[in-house]
Amino acid sequence: MRSHQITKGIERAPHRSLLKAIGYTDEELSRPLIGIAQSANEVIPGHIHLDRITQAVKDGVRMAGGTPMEFSTIGICDGIAMGHQGMKYSLASRELIADSVESMARAYPFDGLVLIPNCDKIVPGMIMAAARLDLPTIVVSGGPMRTGICNGAEIDLITVFEGMGKVQIGELDEAGLRELENSACPGAGSCSGMFTANSMNCLTEALGIALPGNGTTLAVDAARIRLAKASGRALMKLVEKNITFRQLLTREAFMNALAVDMAFGGSTNTSLHLPAIAHEAGRPLTLDDFHGASRKTPHICNMSPGGPHHLADLHEAGGVYAIMKQLYEKGLLDGGCLTATSLSLAENLADPGIQVRNPEVIRPLDNPYHATGGLAVLKGNLAPDGAVVKQSAVAPEMLVHQGPARVFEAEEEAFAAIIGRRINPGEVIVIRYEGPQGGPGMREMLSPTAALAGIGLDREVALLTDGRFSGGTRGAAIGHISPEASAGGLLGLVREGDLISIDIPAQKLELLVDESEIAKRRQQWQKPEPRIKEGYLHRYARLVGSAAGGAVLT
């Protein structure tokens, strides 16, 4: 066992002495030592209950003969960081989390790992570390939040963001907004739509690195505690069989995850996180892979923000494994992939209890909501390396659009123009210098997109950026434009009034300006001064790669 490096032999007496100072006994130190990486805190609603999940995981590990050793990581809530400088730190925190988990597991030679994240960048950050470490590892998320109810209608956090816009145009008063505010997020868990956190938690099932139900079992259900205990026990079986993380994270597992992502209409941010995880696992994944998966996988779940259903609905309808069973039966998944159950995906799917219980929430493949996947990758002179849009959340009338550019150098400028009613129907908002390097940190921009929806312009106005959008964004919001403006991308040369052509079905994104004019502008272009000149983000901006490759540090 790896842990013998600190527990066996006379030369390890000092190490055992320090461990005994913590309270560990000789018997405990003779067992496999299991690192429990958890991110419980009092600043993220999705993490407020992770102490209970952690305890249940530790119980499961002990029941199966292991010794759990708990440590923590940082965590940032994207919703709370949204719309101010804090959002610059969200994506960048993913790398800090990955580095911290890696550091702990190298300093303490654990025999296995359990990862207990729940929200936003904490999930991929922990998984990236585990891919580097290649130990027996399992993921246990905290689970999604219950759906909010206000005046008899189901709502979620996005309803509140869009409510801000409705107040601006007089469709909602401040008292009504306060009602939404008090009802949308009823308690612990990741926000209830198919936003980034829930997309990634559901994809842990598709990747085979978590037990069935990990993505959809509600945070407040006792079933979540039972799942945590079962996960601790399952991890010990992985340790016993020496099934390491990269044995699960195969190329075929990533392609399975892409198919599931397209089927349930996941967040555009999966196009950042899955390639970053694949990079750490040594299994290159590109935007072209997303494009290929989208072309052949029907979109069969209409989840918030694009549709009416929430994670509770998906869970009751059969969950991720019910989606996977349909895809597998049509030859769209590889059943030979090994999973965290120590069995193959095909063996897991043979369980007769896995079935679709609501064919409206999980439609059959021959009656999809859309014939192609929830995400689309666009290319053209504006995005030669790719751009990403959640096409399942775009109104039909905006799938093909051409309009004049309205150019803004930062999110705040665009948001002020939207709220100030200075944006006209038909225009294309361009927000640039918000990429991984230029932002720095590639801010998530739910505030401007929600404001557009709130004032009713999401069916008439498109928004382009080298930044990114929340998984809760709806409308013709095209992000991740690569190369970014700060790296010399064409987005930095767009001028007010330039015509921009968007054709989502044809995967095209073009600036309609003559090549000679573009060449003249390129000669005049100067890279702007860094917006942040000290601290972590200054270092991050110098090291971060393109969004098209997952924005990993080089």
Side-chain angles (χ1 to χ4, degrees):
M1 294 192 296
R2 292 180 77 251
S3 59
H4 287 177
Q5 297 175 61
I6 58 172
T7 60
K8 293 294 182 182
I10 60 172
E11 69 276 14
R12 301 308 182 196
H15 305 69
R16 292 193 297 273
S17 182
L18 289 167
L19 290 167
K20 288 177 178 179
I22 301 171
Y24 293 109
T25 66
D26 285 325
E27 183 181 355
E28 288 175 301
L29 296 179
S30 70
R31 299 171 178 174
L33 303 186
I34 306 303
I36 311 292
Q38 58 86 12
S39 48
N41 59 45
E42 295 182 348
V43 293
I44 307 177
H47 289 227
I48 191 67
H49 66 307
L50 291 190
D51 53 346
R52 287 196 66 210
I53 304 297
T54 299
Q55 186 57 55
V57 166
K58 290 160 67 175
D59 290 344
V61 167
R62 286 197 178 96
M63 282 190 285
T67 297
M69 292 181 158
E70 177 186 342
F71 63 93
S72 60
T73 75
I74 64 167
I76 291 174
C77 174
D78 278 24
I80 297 172
M82 194 76 64
H84 58 92
Q85 182 157 321
M87 181 48 73
K88 292 179 182 285
Y89 287 84
S90 174
L91 180 60
S93 74
R94 185 187 73 180
E95 316 308 312
L96 290 175
I97 292 162
D99 288 350
S100 67
V101 173
E102 178 197 357
S103 298
M104 289 297 288
R106 297 288 190 205
Y108 296 83
F110 299 123
D111 298 302
L113 277 176
V114 182
L115 309 178
I116 310 177
N118 204 31
C119 292
D120 300 303
K121 310 312 162 291
I122 303 97
V123 179
M126 285 193 180
I127 298 172
M128 287 166 66
R132 293 176 196 169
L133 294 162
D134 197 27
L135 299 172
T137 303
I138 197 167
V139 182
V140 187
S141 74
M145 190 182 287
R146 286 191 299 109
T147 309
I149 303 291
C150 186
N151 297 322
E154 291 190 344
I155 64 171
D156 54 39
L157 179 65
I158 307 310
T159 317
V160 187
F161 271 97
E162 294 181 0
M164 294 188 303
K166 291 182 178 180
V167 170
Q168 297 296 323
I169 61 174
E171 282 192 14
L172 186 70
D173 59 21
E174 290 192 29
L177 182 61
R178 180 60 62 89
E179 274 194 88
L180 295 179
E181 172 187 331
N182 289 339
S183 307
C185 301
S190 48
C191 296
S192 59
M194 191 57 82
F195 314 142
T196 303
N198 288 326
S199 296
M200 290 305 302
N201 284 330
C202 287
L203 290 180
T204 63
E205 295 187 50
L207 285 167
I209 57 177
L211 296 186
N214 184 62
T216 60
T217 303
L218 292 185
V220 295
D221 284 357
R224 173 60 60 178
I225 299 298
R226 296 194 296 271
L227 177 68
K229 291 177 181 178
S231 297
R233 293 174 65 91
L235 183 277
M236 293 306 298
K237 187 176 291 187
L238 295 175
V239 171
E240 178 187 342
K241 295 186 174 184
N242 196 30
I243 297 174
T244 66
F245 211 47
R246 292 190 188 182
Q247 290 175 257
L248 307 183
L249 289 179
T250 61
R251 168 75 177 174
E252 292 77 15
F254 280 107
M255 297 312 294
N256 284 351
L258 289 186
V260 175
D261 190 9
M262 299 307 156
F264 66 49
S267 164
T268 54
N269 286 316
T270 63
S271 67
L272 278 176
H273 301 321
L274 286 176
I277 294 165
H279 170 78
E280 300 294 354
R283 324 278 192 207
L285 196 67
T286 69
L287 289 183
D288 288 338
D289 292 318
F290 280 79
H291 172 74
S294 181
R295 297 296 289 173
K296 68 181 183 182
T297 312
H299 175 230
I300 58 175
C301 298
N302 201 16
M303 308 291 292
S304 175
H309 301 135
H310 292 85
L311 266 290
D313 302 313
L314 179 58
H315 185 68
E316 291 168 7
V320 175
Y321 261 72
I323 297 172
M324 293 171 72
K325 193 162 192 173
Q326 291 201 147
L327 296 175
Y328 176 65
E329 289 172 348
K330 294 295 185 179
L332 294 173
L333 296 185
D334 188 322
C337 295
L338 189 60
T339 74
T341 64
S342 298
L343 301 175
S344 70
L345 176 61
E347 289 174 305
N348 291 342
L349 290 171
D351 181 345
I354 299 170
Q355 55 184 296
V356 175
R357 297 185 176 88
N358 185 333
E360 187 61 18
V361 176
I362 304 175
R363 285 192 173 181
L365 296 183
D366 59 3
N367 182 33
Y369 286 100
H370 302 94
T372 56
L375 300 184
V377 175
L378 312 185
K379 290 193 175 182
N381 66 353
L382 261 178
D385 295 339
V388 184
V389 61
K390 191 169 187 174
Q391 63 180 345
S392 59
V394 178
E397 56 266 41
M398 288 299 294
L399 290 171
V400 178
H401 180 75
Q402 182 174 301
R406 296 293 307 278
V407 182
F408 301 94
E409 308 299 324
E411 175 190 359
E412 290 85 354
E413 295 178 15
F415 182 69
I418 295 167
I419 292 299
R421 309 300 300 279
R422 300 196 301 274
I423 300 297
N424 303 305
E427 293 178 335
V428 178
I429 299 171
V430 172
I431 305 177
R432 62 190 179 193
Y433 299 108
E434 289 284 8
Q437 176 193 119
M442 199 179 185
R443 280 194 289 182
E444 196 169 87
M445 301 185 204
L446 180 55
S447 294
T449 57
L452 280 174
I455 64 176
L457 284 180
D458 59 306
R459 292 175 176 266
E460 299 179 84
V461 170
L463 196 158
L464 311 182
T465 183
D466 50 7
R468 60 192 177 90
F469 296 113
S470 164
T473 290
R474 62 186 173 99
I478 300 167
H480 303 220
I481 291 177
S482 302
E484 63 177 287
S486 185
L490 187 59
L491 197 70
L493 306 183
V494 178
R495 292 184 179 173
E496 195 86 2
D498 286 348
L499 281 181
I500 292 175
S501 173
I502 300 165
D503 190 334
I504 294 174
Q507 290 87 47
K508 291 289 185 182
L509 181 62
E510 298 280 346
L511 175 66
L512 303 180
V513 172
D514 288 340
E515 287 296 327
S516 59
E517 173 62 20
I518 290 174
K520 186 189 304 181
R521 294 182 190 180
R522 195 170 295 284
Q523 288 181 335
Q524 298 169 348
W525 180 79
Q526 292 183 333
K527 184 172 181 171
E529 284 288 309
R531 288 173 167 167
I532 293 181
K533 299 182 180 180
E534 60 184 11
Y536 172 57
L537 279 184
H538 181 59
R539 299 194 304 276
Y540 177 86
R542 296 203 313 268
L543 297 172
V544 70
S546 169
V552 298
L553 299 188
T554 57

